[in-house]
Amino acid sequence: MAWQVEDRRGLYLPQVDLWCDVRFPAQRAFVSHAHFDHLGRHQQVICSEGTARLMQERLGGKRKLVTLAYEEPYALDADTELRLYPAGHIYGSAQLWLQRQGQTLLYTGDFKLREGRSAEAAATPPADVVIMETTYGLPHYRFPPTEQVLADIVRFCRDVLESEEIPVLFGYSLGKSQEILSGLAEAKLPIMLHPEVAKMTAVYEAMGVGFPAYREFELKEAKGHVVIAPPQSRQSSWLRKIKRRRTAAITGWAMEPGARYRYQSDGLFPLSDHADYDDLLRFVERTGAKQVYTVHGYAREFAADLRSRGIEAWALGVVNQLELAVSAANQPVALPQKTEPVEETPAPPQSFWAFAQTAERVRWATGKLEKVETLRAYFSALPPALVGAAAIFFTGRPFAQSAHRPLQTGWAVLKRALLAAGKMTEAEYRATYRKYSDSGETAESLLAGKTQPPDEPWPLAEVPAWLEKLAVLRGPQRKATHLEERLVVLRPVEAKYLVKIITGDLRIGLKEGLVEEALAANYGVGTREIRAANMLTGDLAEVARAAAVEKLKDLSLRVFRPVQFMLASPEPDAEGIVKRLAPEGGEIWLEEKYDGIRCQVHKRGSSVALYSRDLKPITEQFPDVVREIEQVPHDFIGDGELLAFSEGKALPFAELQKRLGRKIGAVGDLFLGEEIPVSLMLYDLLWADGTDLLRTPLVERRTELEKLELQGHLLVAPVQQVQSASEIDAAFLVARKRGNEGLMAKEPASLYAPGRRGHQWLKLKKEFATLDVVVVGVEWGHGKRRDVLSDYTFAIRDERTGELRTIGKAYSGLTDKEIAHYTEYFLEHTVEEKGRVRLVEPEVLLEVAFDSIQPSTRHQSGYALRFPRIKRIRTDKPISEIDTLAHCQVLAGAPPAQKTRKARRGIA
């Protein structure tokens, strides 16, 4: 007898009518462990005792259970014996072993061979056929020793605690969090657990698993504790309550290039509950499998690897490429020999190679202090003239922020240069990019072994001029040639960071603030002084030069060199504003929050420049506004908002958007200034007639602003002085009736702090309204949500025809548990599949909040919601009570936009 293995949206064994780890409901299924992506509402479940207990806690409901102890024999039918063996993944995880007519089959589910601290040790029973997960089935996934990783985690936690911050470690609430908790036992650190983690840990304890002392999280007492939390809490309000925190992701994907960018954490540690590459090979060897099927992760690549070692192996659910085995049939698996890491050849300090090596060390540094010290040591080895250029590059920019010099080198140019330099096909490029999702990592991988760097590496001093030339070259071909000629003489790691600088993002977990700290440490000055100078100049090279000769105080505000905008902190209610700005009484200044474009105005004589929030010049887009500014009889730098403005009130942002990127006077736009009138609403003054006002209180800056004698479409934002929460609430309602977003609340004595988001300026925004809608389409998510249907397209009802009309799409607001539950539901209620999208039966109702509604051709309804988010699932309402097109028209105050052909066809 030969075992039959089928992939039918999940693993199925037809000879015994048994499904394995499928998410949709099945008549009989084996569940290897209690993670949501392996659970389903099956009629009969075969699992371990530990999985049964955890599954009941997570899934609830009633089902027929066959719970078995490890290695306990069970007659599946008259011809088939079944046993479970520990998998080592999480507590209760099991492998399925079947024997039928003398032939054995082993299905692993998720597993690991490395000994864990909170799960049973994995077994490797012999089997003729093995179906194994291969999440980390590539050779570069060789995890460091667990003891080393745990020591690194402990060091990270101690460093953070010494900085009087709270370390937050992210690990799945079931399995990974308990492993982290057990791993920290010897360190004897005080530990708090997120409520979800505490809940699962309590279930472990009820089954007899012991842990070091811990407490459930309490914000008021969290200081001095290590906090363990699930990854989904990273985007939650729960985490935002921990003001002074540093976070670390605990995941095997820490080995992946670009992982620091993906996880957006201060630390990243490669601790996994899955087998690494070496363990996968050992597992095959120990089971003595004659035939191997691979699933998940790098299934195709690992199957090909096994075939090259003489083992029959095929990936399930993917197209296998046929290769000739280079080893004799049935040759034993040759395990890779572990070697010590090769010492990196030190590069000359003043070379771009040294910059790239430093960037790699920063990338793998485990905490803020280590990153800063790595940079400081690098800066100290450079002459002052080069420190500034290196500092700018470490912010991920090719030029200083104030330079406003775009490279105009897009993805097409980069791809063309890489294809030529690496002598590869476009298919190879696409496959590599899909793997890394990062142009720099793609460049390093594709150019490995294909470049010819000279003995003398590229001097760092030449890089700025090379980038300047790239910026001024015209035409994609000339730019691509310039880049190709450089790439072919760089080491792959140099190519990686040159491409990263060109694309504007290093993705090494380095914020600009840490570069400022490193400069401060290098020159022995205060970080505040460096930061203030950078805010004023927007040029770290200039700041570094000034710091080197102790002239930071000579740097000052200059006309036509924009400074970063002062920012406001959000406050959810009026009571919070009073508590922060006037706890003991006193005045609060209110301005209406407009839905426009933040704008900084610079004027000297007849010269005028406008800058957007990201400090880019936008002067040419608003010549009508510029002409009016030219008539102002004063020189000044002002802060305000560009608004579509008519008949004394601001128009929706959608009207202003029609002006963006267009110049009045171009063909077809001669009357655009009249059709979409734009006003500049100024609310602050930074400099006037030679006087720097940054250190002047707002009340005095306001007096100077009103002296500018503005006319026409140049306005001064009205200010209302209040003292109570009730006055703020009343003002908020008035602002919303006028169509504005909300309120800005300011302390009259506040100084202007460029680039700072303090608590002297607060913004009050509340959701505009909510709609009751019905889900008509769902889409597989991305990243950690790639295995669940998490992106919901929803619709309202056209009361005239009774038809459903799409109006938006949202993917935030639901818990992971809700998403997992509705993934199963939508899989069962799919009407049609369109790639990643599923059209579903319109039965699930949502309440969706949003900031505004405006006409749009994107959706079938002719409207679009701005910033939609799911408030809750409406299980209390029938579909007949969802909101209507007429109601949306009232909210928008405008007729719907004409629908496009795309919107008429289906989900937009």
Side-chain angles (χ1 to χ4, degrees):
M1 184 210 81
W3 279 104
Q4 296 175 26
V5 180
E6 298 180 3
D7 178 51
R8 300 185 186 174
R9 289 195 302 136
L11 184 65
Y12 180 60
L13 305 175
Q15 290 148 309
V16 291
D17 189 23
L18 182 65
W19 293 89
C20 298
D21 282 337
V22 291
R23 291 178 294 184
F24 54 82
Q27 180 137 6
R28 182 168 66 175
F30 165 67
V31 173
S32 65
H33 64 284
H35 279 153
F36 273 126
D37 59 338
H38 289 252
L39 300 181
R41 297 185 182 278
H42 314 302
Q43 292 184 32
Q44 184 186 55
V45 170
I46 300 170
C47 63
S48 72
E49 295 169 339
T51 294
R53 177 69 178 83
L54 289 164
M55 180 172 58
Q56 185 62 32
E57 183 67 35
R58 309 199 89 190
L59 204 58
K62 294 182 179 180
R63 61 195 58 82
K64 184 178 178 181
L65 289 175
V66 176
T67 57
L68 302 173
Y70 292 128
E71 300 189 44
E72 175 187 350
Y74 174 75
L76 190 61
D77 57 39
D79 298 321
T80 309
E81 179 185 323
L82 178 153
R83 299 187 186 209
L84 303 184
Y85 288 87
H89 179 58
I90 65 172
Y91 187 79
S93 60
Q95 304 172 71
L96 172 71
W97 182 89
L98 297 169
Q99 184 174 26
R100 182 182 177 88
Q101 299 179 15
Q103 297 294 309
T104 54
L105 177 145
L106 179 68
Y107 166 68
T108 67
D110 294 342
F111 78 101
K112 75 171 186 294
L113 296 186
R114 300 181 312 285
E115 186 175 351
R117 289 161 171 73
S118 61
E120 306 89 345
T124 53
D128 300 313
V129 176
V130 165
I131 307 169
M132 60 187 296
E133 68 107 349
T134 50
T135 299
Y136 295 110
L138 292 180
H140 72 265
Y141 292 117
R142 291 185 169 102
F143 299 140
T146 300
E147 295 299 331
Q148 175 187 323
V149 178
L150 289 173
D152 290 341
I153 294 173
V154 170
R155 185 178 64 191
F156 171 84
C157 293
R158 294 195 190 282
D159 286 346
V160 176
L161 291 170
E162 287 174 8
S163 301
E164 297 188 349
E165 296 174 296
I166 297 174
V168 182
L169 308 180
F170 292 123
Y172 290 116
S173 59
L174 173 57
K176 182 65 67 64
S177 286
Q178 288 73 36
E179 192 71 7
I180 298 169
L181 178 60
S182 299
L184 296 180
E186 294 180 8
K188 297 182 179 179
L189 294 167
I191 296 173
M192 283 186 172
L193 303 183
H194 182 281
E196 283 296 317
V197 175
K199 179 181 177 182
M200 287 295 102
T201 304
V203 179
Y204 268 64
E205 290 175 318
M207 293 188 290
V209 182
F211 294 101
Y214 67 86
R215 300 172 55 190
E216 188 167 340
F217 179 80
E218 294 181 38
L219 181 61
K220 292 181 180 179
E221 300 181 30
K223 186 176 181 181
H225 289 75
V226 176
V227 178
I228 302 175
Q232 62 266 28
S233 65
R234 185 185 290 113
Q235 305 297 331
S236 69
S237 59
W238 174 87
L239 182 65
R240 291 193 290 272
K241 293 175 183 176
I242 308 175
K243 301 301 182 185
R244 290 181 54 78
R245 65 179 185 271
R246 280 162 60 197
T247 61
I250 318 297
T251 171
W253 297 113
M255 307 291 292
E256 185 77 3
R260 285 196 177 276
Y261 176 78
R262 181 193 311 169
Y263 289 98
Q264 294 291 297
S265 293
D266 301 297
L268 199 60
F269 302 98
L271 186 69
S272 178
D273 293 327
H274 295 263
D276 70 354
Y277 175 77
D278 288 352
D279 275 354
L280 294 174
L281 290 177
R282 287 192 183 92
F283 186 82
V284 175
E285 179 186 41
R286 292 176 185 178
T287 59
K290 300 180 180 66
Q291 187 176 37
V292 176
Y293 293 101
T294 57
V295 294
H296 305 312
Y298 293 98
R300 179 165 46 195
E301 292 85 350
F302 190 71
D305 193 333
L306 291 181
R307 291 197 298 275
S308 74
R309 299 168 186 272
I311 295 174
E312 183 183 346
W314 305 102
L316 289 175
V318 300
V319 178
N320 290 269
Q321 184 170 343
L322 296 174
E323 297 100 345
L324 293 175
V326 296
S327 304
N330 299 320
Q331 176 182 336
V333 178
L335 291 177
Q337 297 298 311
K338 290 200 173 186
T339 58
E340 294 297 319
V342 179
E343 185 72 23
E344 186 180 43
T345 303
Q350 298 184 31
S351 67
F352 188 67
W353 186 16
F355 171 89
Q357 287 185 341
T358 305
E360 284 290 275
R361 287 193 286 273
V362 170
R363 171 188 175 188
W364 294 111
T366 57
K368 169 185 169 183
L369 298 179
E370 187 178 351
K371 290 177 187 289
V372 171
E373 174 54 28
T374 301
L375 282 182
R376 186 211 60 78
Y378 171 68
F379 289 152
S380 68
L382 295 177
L386 289 182
V387 171
I392 290 172
F393 294 157
F394 274 120
T395 66
R397 300 187 186 100
F399 308 115
Q401 186 176 18
S402 60
H404 314 303
R405 187 178 299 113
L407 283 175
Q408 295 180 326
T409 303
W411 299 106
V413 170
L414 286 170
K415 184 176 75 171
R416 184 183 297 186
L418 281 171
L419 290 175
K423 296 180 174 59
M424 69 199 73
T425 66
E426 186 155 344
E428 290 176 294
Y429 174 88
R430 285 199 304 269
T432 306
Y433 187 82
R434 279 197 301 268
K435 174 181 172 183
Y436 294 108
S437 296
D438 179 278
S439 292
E441 306 288 351
T442 299
E444 181 182 37
S445 178
L446 291 175
L447 296 178
K450 297 181 180 179
T451 63
Q452 296 181 329
D455 293 336
E456 292 293 325
W458 194 21
L460 182 63
E462 294 181 5
V463 180
W466 184 89
L467 289 167
E468 290 274 3
K469 184 175 180 180
L470 181 65
V472 300
L473 283 172
R474 292 292 173 261
Q477 184 57 57
R478 297 180 68 189
K479 286 180 179 287
T481 300
H482 183 62
L483 180 53
E484 177 201 346
E485 290 171 349
R486 175 51 55 189
L487 291 175
V488 296
V489 293
L490 292 180
R491 293 160 181 81
V493 70
E494 293 176 278
K496 170 167 70 175
Y497 283 102
L498 180 62
V499 170
K500 282 176 174 285
I501 290 169
I502 290 171
T503 57
D505 194 352
L506 294 190
R507 300 189 182 186
I508 58 175
L510 187 64
K511 298 177 181 178
E512 187 165 350
L514 298 186
V515 181
E516 293 169 337
E517 287 189 38
L519 286 173
N522 185 53
Y523 292 115
V525 298
T527 301
R528 284 188 178 182
E529 296 176 63
I530 293 288
R531 189 159 292 149
N534 188 29
M535 297 294 185
L536 284 174
T537 64
D539 187 344
L540 276 176
E542 183 178 357
V543 171
R545 289 192 297 269
V549 294
E550 300 181 359
K551 289 189 176 181
L552 281 174
K553 293 182 179 179
D554 292 349
L555 300 178
S556 60
L557 198 63
R558 292 186 203 166
V559 186
F560 305 120
R561 184 171 66 184
V563 299
Q564 296 185 35
F565 291 82
M566 184 170 176
L567 306 174
S569 297
E571 192 65 42
D573 51 47
E575 288 77 8
I577 290 176
V578 173
K579 185 176 180 181
R580 284 197 179 274
L581 297 185
E584 299 178 0
E587 285 188 350
I588 298 170
W589 282 17
L590 298 182
E591 300 166 5
E592 296 193 6
K593 188 176 190 312
Y594 302 100
D595 190 12
I597 300 173
R598 191 83 179 265
C599 178
Q600 195 172 113
V601 186
H602 289 237
K603 177 189 180 293
R604 174 180 282 160
S606 59
S607 298
V608 175
L610 307 179
Y611 302 95
S612 61
R613 180 166 174 164
D614 57 2
L615 307 188
K616 291 180 179 177
I618 54 174
T619 313
E620 292 185 351
Q621 297 178 39
F622 301 97
D624 45 345
V625 175
V626 169
R627 284 193 293 269
E628 294 203 46
I629 296 173
E630 290 172 349
Q631 306 306 312
V632 177
H634 298 272
D635 296 337
F636 68 97
I637 300 175
D639 183 2
E641 197 98 3
L642 283 164
L643 304 167
F645 201 86
S646 180
E647 298 180 1
K649 69 175 185 177
L651 303 178
F653 179 77
E655 294 299 315
L656 181 64
Q657 206 165 25
K658 298 174 184 176
R659 288 282 299 268
L660 301 184
R662 302 169 74 176
K663 300 178 187 178
I664 297 179
V667 175
D669 286 345
L670 292 173
F671 303 102
L672 191 58
E674 297 178 13
E675 294 175 9
I676 310 171
V678 173
S679 291
L680 175 64
M681 184 74 75
L682 286 170
Y683 41 72
D684 216 326
L685 197 63
L686 285 60
W687 179 93
D689 295 325
T691 301
D692 187 332
L693 302 173
L694 290 180
R695 309 306 296 171
T696 302
L698 174 60
V699 63
E700 297 180 26
R701 299 200 304 273
R702 177 74 185 200
T703 299
E704 296 301 317
L705 176 59
E706 291 171 349
K707 293 179 181 178
L708 291 184
E709 305 173 55
L710 304 180
Q711 297 180 3
H713 292 95
L714 307 181
L715 310 170
V716 176
V719 169
Q720 180 180 353
Q721 299 173 6
V722 300
Q723 293 182 311
S724 67
S726 61
E727 290 176 292
I728 295 174
D729 282 331
F732 179 85
L733 292 175
V734 171
R736 291 309 296 259
K737 284 181 180 179
R738 269 199 281 262
N740 295 323
E741 289 187 330
L743 294 175
M744 296 289 296
K746 300 180 180 180
E747 185 179 319
S750 60
L751 307 181
Y752 196 96
R756 296 289 300 278
R757 190 185 297 279
H759 290 98
Q760 292 183 308
W761 287 14
L762 302 172
K763 57 185 176 182
L764 177 62
K765 287 175 62 178
K766 300 178 183 178
E767 61 196 34
F768 174 68
T770 64
L771 288 176
D772 290 331
V773 298
V774 64
V775 179
V776 294
V778 293
E779 184 175 348
W780 295 102
H782 297 82
K784 72 182 183 69
R785 290 185 170 181
R786 63 185 179 275
D787 294 324
V788 291
L789 295 164
S790 62
D791 298 12
Y792 297 172
T793 297
F794 43 82
I796 55 174
R797 183 181 301 282
D798 185 337
E799 67 284 355
R800 297 167 301 175
T801 65
E803 295 179 346
L804 297 177
R805 307 269 187 201
T806 56
I807 194 169
K809 180 178 180 180
Y811 48 83
S812 63
L814 298 182
T815 66
D816 281 1
K817 188 173 182 179
E818 288 173 320
I819 291 172
H821 168 73
Y822 280 100
T823 293
E824 296 176 18
Y825 177 89
F826 288 130
L827 286 172
E828 295 176 41
H829 294 78
T830 295
V831 176
E832 182 182 353
E833 290 189 52
K834 294 184 175 182
R836 293 178 55 83
V837 176
R838 289 170 173 261
L839 306 186
V840 298
E841 296 174 7
E843 295 180 352
V844 175
L845 272 63
L846 308 175
E847 182 181 6
V848 176
F850 54 96
D851 285 2
S852 64
I853 181 172
Q854 45 199 237
S856 170
T857 58
R858 183 179 180 186
H859 298 292
Q860 296 166 332
S861 63
Y863 292 108
L865 307 181
R866 195 168 187 215
F867 303 130
R869 57 267 186 198
I870 301 168
K871 288 196 71 175
R872 58 172 170 154
I873 304 286
R874 294 302 304 259
T875 56
D876 57 327
K877 276 193 171 186
I879 188 173
S880 59
E881 294 184 16
I882 64 172
D883 280 305
T884 65
L885 186 61
H887 178 60
C888 294
Q889 185 169 347
V890 171
L891 292 177
Q898 185 176 355
K899 293 183 287 294
T900 63
R901 291 179 61 193
K902 176 182 177 182
R904 285 196 295 268
R905 281 200 306 267
I907 294 175

